[in-house]
Amino acid sequence: MVDTTVKGRIAICTSCGAPNRVAAGKPLSAGKCGKCSQKLATPKPVDIDGAMLERLIARDTGAFVLDVWAPWCGPCRMMAPAYEAAAGRFADQVRFFKLNSDQNQEAAGKLGIRGIPTLLAWEDGSLIANQAGAQTGEGLARWIQSTFRLSA
Ligand SMILES: [Zn+2]
């Protein structure tokens, strides 16, 4: 069923930062950036920096998750495979990003991160969920589903 009340959404390309309009109901993973031709969504988490995060928060109207992590953090590394699996499983609905808090301390500070890993979820420009601590496997998948109201 086509919902004509939804005009689609703006997806910021994390390769070049350009805004792209994505038609309602069209899977994000099928879209390419009109400016740089990179895919708008991949089945793997994408590393972004603080500047790109600000752009996403300000302009992107889709659904995305951010994993705030650091290379020295054991629980972060433990969660990484589950995060990658979730990125593959939900690639059509949600984009998955990672922010290295060592390299982006100012951005992590602005987010009010108290510990890592922390997962943050945005939808339509609003922060809708915030989950501190490592989640693995099905627990992480369930959190994504409930946060974005996705069916199993
Ligand atoms: Zn682009």
Side-chain angles (χ1 to χ4, degrees):
M1 193 176 86
V2 176
D3 184 355
T4 52
T5 62
V6 179
K7 282 182 290 190
R9 60 195 187 278
I10 301 292
I12 294 295
C13 169
T14 50
S15 296
C16 74
N20 285 266
R21 186 168 291 281
V22 180
K26 188 181 173 192
L28 206 52
S29 53
K32 283 188 177 180
C33 175
K35 191 173 172 193
C36 75
S37 300
Q38 292 295 311
K39 285 191 168 177
L40 291 175
T42 67
K44 291 220 166 190
V46 175
D47 283 296
I48 61 170
D49 62 14
M52 185 58 76
L53 177 64
E54 287 197 2
R55 217 175 159 79
L56 282 162
I57 293 170
R59 305 280 310 270
D60 197 283
T61 63
F64 63 92
V65 185
L66 182 72
D67 171 19
V68 184
W69 72 290
W72 48 262
C73 160
C76 298
R77 288 201 303 271
M78 199 177 79
M79 186 172 73
Y83 194 66
E84 271 205 41
R89 182 168 165 186
F90 302 110
D92 281 341
Q93 295 111 332
V94 181
R95 296 204 289 173
F96 290 75
F97 303 123
K98 290 172 82 91
L99 182 83
N100 182 327
S101 59
D102 278 3
Q103 291 168 2
N104 298 280
Q105 291 182 3
E106 195 188 326
K110 271 190 203 166
L111 292 170
I113 300 297
R114 295 201 188 135
I116 51 172
T118 290
L119 293 179
L120 301 156
W122 281 266
E123 191 168 45
D124 201 7
S126 298
L127 181 65
I128 59 167
N130 178 335
Q131 172 83 38
Q135 302 183 82
T136 55
E138 268 307 300
L140 176 58
R142 274 197 302 274
W143 183 77
I144 301 288
Q145 284 171 331
S146 67
T147 297
F148 296 107
R149 304 167 310 280
L150 303 173
S151 50

